[in-house]
Amino acid sequence: MRKKTSAMPTLNWIGKDKVTNHHLEVPFRTLTHSYGFTPESGQSPTKTDSGNLIIHGDNLEALKALLPRYEGQVDFIYIDPPYNTGEEKWAYNDNVNDPQIRKWLGEIVGKQGEDLTRHDKWLCMMYPRMCLLQKLLSSTGTICISINFVHEHAHLRMLCDEIFGQNNFIGELTWESTTQPINSGSARFNLQQKVEPILFYAKDKTRLPPFVLEEADNGLCYPHQGKYGPCRYEIIEKSNSGEYARPTMQFSILGQRPRKGKRWQIGMDTAQELIRRNRLEIVDGIVKKAIYPEDEQDKRKYVPFWSHLSAKEVGTAQSGKRLLNTIIGRDTGFDTVKPPQLIRELLKHVRKDALVLDSFAGSGTTAQAVLEQNAHDGGHRHFILVESMDYAEDITAERVRRVITGYPHKETEQVEIYSQKLTAANLNHADLLLAKARSVAQARKDDFARIKGPTVKDSCLKVVGENTYEKRMPGTGGAFDYYELGMPLFTDDGCLNNEVGEEYLREYVYYTETRRPLRRKRQEGSGKYLLDTNNDVGYYFYYEKEHPTTLSLNTLDIVVEEAALYVVYADICALPADRLKKLNIVFKQIPRDMKHF
C-alpha cells in the first residue's frame, strides 16, 4: 500500500495522465528459459533452480512478467537508470496508446536545449517501472536508486514521493563516483561535482525493523562494527518527542563500561516498548561513547550505515570500468560502471537471504556484488537482473559466468626498497638524501618492472619497486538461469493464448485470485487441477489445452481438498446457479476463443 500525505505536492508533466496506469495495461508475458549455468556443468538446457535469474527483454514487460511469482517478495532493489544526460542515446519505446506519446517512439532523447520534451519522456519511462517495482517490494523491502545531481535528481525525488510515499523516504546517500571533479556546467562559478546521490526509500517505513538490540551481561546494546573494531553504541531515551517534549533532556540508558555501583535503568521489555513509541535512538558514532567487547566471542558483525561512501572505500565509476574490462578480457565500450563494492556496502544492511532485484542491470555489477558478498559472509542472497540491450548475453551474463568460475587478472606488487625519515636536521643534506635514493633505484632497476620515486610520503623519502603478475581471481561459486521475454498470456482480443505453457497460466490465475505466488507443485492424477488452498478457499484450474472442459456432476471429482469455498475455472458450467451455491462453488469461465474447437 502506498503511503501518501494529503498535502504532498506532486509533479506534473506532458503525458503523465497517460502513464500513471500504464503498468496495469502492460500485458503479462511468459519468461522462456534459455539455459542454466553452474560452475560444474557450465551452460546447459537444464534449469538450475538456484533462485538467480538474468532476464533479457524490455524491463517494463519483464517486471510485469515477474509479478505472479514475485509480487511482495523482493527484499532489496538497486537500480541505476539512465541519468538523461543527453549522452546515453536512450529512446522512449513504451507502447502507450496516446498520439502525443507515440510520436516519441524510437526517437533518441536529445540534450538539454535540443529536446524540449526530454524530461517528459524520462518521467513517462520511469513512472510505470517504479509502480511495478513498488509492487514487487516486500512489506519490509527497500530500494536504492542511483542518479546524478544535475539532470533528473529533483524530478526523481518527487516521483518517488508520489509512488512510495513521502513518509517512506529513508534518506539520501552520496557516493564519490570520481576522484576527478566534473564541471557542473556553470562557466562563471566553475562548480566541481565529485559525488552522486542514491535515493533510499522503503516500501513501508513503519514496518522496517528498528535498530538491533541485544541483551548482554552488562545491559542492552546496539551491536555494530565500529571504526576500531566491534563495539556497542550508547543508547539514549529521547525526551524531545511527543506532547511533553523537552529537547534539552536526554537520559542515558547505557553508559560506557559500567562503573562500580552503576545500575542499568531499563530491561529489554521496556526498551522494546520505548522503540514502539519512538523514544529510543542511538547516539552518533563517537568512539569514546562506544563499548568494546573484551573477548573474541563477544564481537558483533552489525555495521552502521553512513550516508557518504568515499571512492577510497568503494571505488569509482572508472575503477568499475577497469574491473569490468578485466573480467570480460576486452574493452566493453562502457564509459562508466558502478563498482561492485558500492553495491556490497548496501547489501550489508539487508538480510543474508535477501532477494535482490536490478531492472536496469547494465553490465551486471549487482549480480557480482551479491555473489561476492555471499562468498564473504556466508549469505544466501539471490539476484534477479533485467537487461533489455543485446549485450545481456555477451557482457551481462558473461560477466556473471566469469565471476562464478574465476577470471585472470593482473596484480601489482609494491616493495619499498628505500625509506628515509625526513627531519629538520637531515633536510640540510637533502642533496645527499636524494642522491642516495636515486643510487638505490638505479641499483635495483633490474629487479622490478617499474621503479617509483624518489617521492615524499608520510614524512619519508621513499623509493618503491613494482612488479605485475598474471594471476587468477578465484570464483565465487553459484549458479543462474538465463531467460528471454516470451509470449503474452493473452491475445489482442483478450482470449487465452493456447501456445503458452500451462505452468504460466496456473501461476497467473492463482496470482490474480490471491496476489500470492503459486508455490504448490502440480500433482498428477485426480488432484492435477488444484492450484492451491488459501484462507480456506480452494482454487482449481480445470484446463486442457486440446479440448474444452465442462464442470458438471460427473466432473466434480476434480475437487480433491476440503475447503469452505471453491473457485473453479473451466470452459463450460453445466450446473445450475442454485446447485453451485449449495456446493459453495464459484464458477469462472476460462477466457479462450471457443472457435478454436
Side-chain angles (χ1 to χ4, degrees), residues 198-455:
I198 301 175
L199 297 184
F200 192 14
Y201 280 81
K203 174 71 167 281
D204 184 351
K205 198 160 69 171
T206 65
R207 300 194 62 175
L208 292 180
F211 50 78
V212 181
L213 281 178
E214 291 187 359
E215 289 190 273
D217 293 340
N218 51 5
L220 300 178
C221 66
Y222 171 62
H224 123 166
Q225 186 76 22
K227 183 177 181 181
Y228 301 107
C231 64
R232 303 193 196 106
Y233 276 139
E234 178 182 24
I235 301 175
I236 61 174
E237 180 182 354
K238 297 185 292 185
S239 60
N240 59 348
S241 59
E243 184 179 356
Y244 304 104
R246 298 165 68 187
T248 59
M249 295 188 66
Q250 293 180 325
F251 300 96
S252 176
I253 292 170
L254 283 184
Q256 296 184 27
R257 198 167 291 282
R259 295 185 297 274
K260 184 177 180 180
K262 182 173 180 179
R263 299 192 328 174
W264 301 109
Q265 298 176 17
I266 65 170
M268 178 63 81
D269 292 341
T270 306
Q272 297 295 351
E273 173 61 20
L274 290 171
I275 289 172
R276 189 187 66 79
R277 292 161 48 198
N278 192 30
R279 291 291 301 278
L280 283 190
E281 68 180 5
I282 297 152
V283 173
D284 289 339
I286 304 170
V287 174
K288 68 180 182 181
K289 290 187 177 179
I291 303 171
Y292 290 88
E294 292 179 340
D295 57 74
E296 287 293 318
Q297 293 182 351
D298 200 27
K299 289 187 176 180
R300 312 298 184 188
K301 296 180 180 179
Y302 295 98
V303 294
F305 207 157
W306 304 119
S307 62
H308 179 68
L309 300 168
S310 70
K312 184 177 181 180
E313 292 174 297
V314 301
T316 65
Q318 287 304 307
S319 69
K321 172 185 175 179
R322 290 192 296 270
L323 176 61
L324 172 64
N325 291 341
T326 296
I327 294 171
I328 299 298
R330 59 181 172 84
D331 186 351
T332 59
F334 282 76
D335 291 330
T336 58
V337 180
K338 296 294 184 292
Q341 192 59 39
L342 172 66
I343 317 300
R344 288 183 62 181
E345 284 299 315
L346 304 177
L347 292 175
K348 289 177 182 178
H349 304 278
V350 300
R351 299 192 340 247
K352 287 187 177 182
D353 61 348
L355 177 60
V356 179
L357 169 63
D358 184 349
S359 57
F360 291 87
S363 66
T365 301
T366 298
Q368 179 173 349
V370 168
L371 292 166
E372 289 181 347
Q373 192 61 28
N374 283 346
H376 175 74
D377 63 15
H380 301 283
R381 304 168 187 86
H382 298 97
F383 62 80
I384 300 175
L385 304 188
V386 182
E387 179 49 54
S388 63
M389 302 300 286
D390 292 338
Y391 56 68
E393 166 58 28
D394 60 0
I395 293 181
T396 312
E398 180 64 18
R399 176 184 193 165
V400 179
R401 281 191 286 268
R402 295 187 181 207
V403 169
I404 288 173
T405 58
Y407 56 89
H409 74 111
K410 293 181 179 179
E411 191 170 297
T412 299
E413 182 183 75
Q414 292 188 338
V415 178
E416 190 177 280
I417 57 178
Y418 178 82
S419 179
Q420 176 63 55
K421 185 74 173 177
L422 298 178
T423 65
N426 64 21
L427 280 176
N428 292 324
H429 308 287
D431 290 345
L432 293 175
L433 293 177
L434 282 170
K436 175 64 174 175
R438 288 171 180 145
S439 173
V440 172
Q442 180 66 24
R444 300 290 303 275
K445 68 177 183 178
D446 294 334
D447 297 335
F448 299 94
R450 182 185 178 195
I451 299 288
K452 296 176 64 176
T455 59

Side-chain angles (χ1 to χ4, degrees), residues 506-516 531-532 534-535 537-541 565-569 586-589:
R506 290 168 61 88
E507 287 180 351
Y508 171 79
V509 169
Y510 188 75
Y511 163 74
T512 55
E513 288 287 347
T514 66
R515 282 297 184 269
R516 293 175 177 270
L531 300 176
D532 205 349
N534 181 60
N535 292 331
V537 179
Y539 296 93
Y540 292 82
F541 187 54
L565 182 68
Y566 309 94
V567 175
V568 180
Y569 282 77
V586 176
F587 168 73
K588 295 190 178 183
Q589 188 174 29

Side-chain angles (χ1 to χ4, degrees), residues 119-137:
H119 299 295
D120 305 279
K121 293 172 184 173
W122 189 86
L123 287 163
C124 283
M125 180 273 293
M126 288 295 293
Y127 195 97
R129 288 162 176 79
M130 298 302 294
C131 288
L132 291 175
L133 290 171
Q134 194 266 357
K135 285 180 173 291
L136 287 162
L137 268 182

